[in-house]
């Protein structure tokens, strides 16, 4: 069973104390660059909240710190599913639709 997509939310920046609001169930996530809408990350996972929390969002320095000035302003949305298999099937359908759209637009 697939639910609907959540609203777009601002991805937390390090040091601001923001939280990720996402299901701890299987599902799909999509992360985009807010200014351009360019896709940054997409996935079908067992735990959406955990996957978003572990997502690398920018370059790291030699000392393991991220320079806040170089981090893109990101947005994310989520879609919960009953199982990871449902999430993968939905993700594959979405990828197929996107490829069809892009091949028609080219």
């Amino acid at each position: 069973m697939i639910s609907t997509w959540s609203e777009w939310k601002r991805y937390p920046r390090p040091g601001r104390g923001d939280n990720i609001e996402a299901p701890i169930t299987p599902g799909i996530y999509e992360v985009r660059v807010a200014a351009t809408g360019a896709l940054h990350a997409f996935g079908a996972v067992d735990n959406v909240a955990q996957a978003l929390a572990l997502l690398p969002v920018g370059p790291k320095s030699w000392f393991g710190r991220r320079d806040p000035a170089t981090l893109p302003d990101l947005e994310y949305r989520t879609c919960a599913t009953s199982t990871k298999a449902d999430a993968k099937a939905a993700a594959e359908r979405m990828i197929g639709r996107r490829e069809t759209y892009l091949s028609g637009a080219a």
Side-chain angles (χ1 to χ4, degrees):
M1 183 77 187
I2 299 170
S3 65
T4 59
W5 283 102
S6 68
E7 296 294 319
W8 286 102
K9 299 171 185 153
R10 171 171 271 164
Y11 193 87
R13 285 186 167 272
R16 285 199 341 207
D18 298 333
N19 294 316
I20 292 175
E21 297 175 24
I24 57 172
T25 61
I28 308 166
Y29 67 87
E30 183 175 13
V31 181
R32 68 180 182 187
V33 178
T36 64
L39 184 64
H40 180 79
F42 177 82
V45 294
D46 282 323
N47 183 322
V48 179
Q50 182 179 34
L52 285 171
L54 298 174
L55 186 70
V57 294
K60 285 189 174 185
S61 75
W62 284 93
F63 304 106
R65 295 184 185 163
R66 293 185 176 125
D67 179 12
T70 62
L71 295 178
D73 191 21
L74 300 175
E75 297 177 315
Y76 70 96
R77 67 180 180 165
T78 63
C79 180
T81 61
S82 306
T83 65
K84 186 174 179 182
D86 287 344
K88 283 186 172 188
E92 288 171 7
R93 282 194 306 273
M94 293 176 72
I95 290 168
R97 281 185 284 193
R98 180 172 282 166
E99 287 172 354
T100 301
Y101 172 77
L102 292 175
S103 66

